[in-house]
Amino acid sequence: MRWYENNLELSELLSFIETLEYDDKVTVANHLLQILICECGIDLDKEISEISGKNYSYSRWYDNFADLSTSMEFLKNLPKSKQDYAVKRFMSEIIMSYLTKEL
């Protein structure tokens, strides 16, 4: 079981994102990255240093999208309360994107 499968909302959200067209995946990945950096207090330099020092297999579908893959690694390292906030905030961004026809 992958770590994000323990969070039903996140797991469902990733399943939904997987169905999107390439450009829409890029758009939502950018939204998630901005939420993590601006609203969840991600220390970008620290997190990138940690990620770059690890040896990943990059076999997940979302690893083909740099911003989404990076965001998922950032999200994985957040405390549960911040993870939950980011997922709910991300879901609202996706809904707003649909309403404003960005997606």
Side-chain angles (χ1 to χ4, degrees), residues 17-78:
I17 294 168
E18 189 174 14
T19 69
L20 297 174
E21 297 292 325
Y22 178 86
D23 290 343
D24 292 338
K25 285 178 184 164
V26 171
T27 298
V28 298
N30 288 328
H31 283 287
L32 178 56
L33 192 55
Q34 288 300 312
I35 290 167
L36 290 168
I37 292 168
C38 298
E39 298 179 31
C40 293
I42 294 290
D43 181 341
L44 200 52
D45 292 332
K46 178 184 170 226
E47 292 295 329
I48 289 176
S49 292
E50 287 183 20
I51 289 171
S52 65
K54 294 180 180 175
N55 187 13
Y56 292 107
S57 64
Y58 299 106
S59 62
R60 302 156 303 195
W61 68 266
Y62 59 78
D63 289 324
N64 294 316
F65 304 89
D67 286 347
L68 189 54
S69 179
T70 300
S71 294
M72 291 301 292
E73 290 302 318
F74 290 170
L75 194 58
K76 179 170 63 173
N77 295 324
L78 285 176

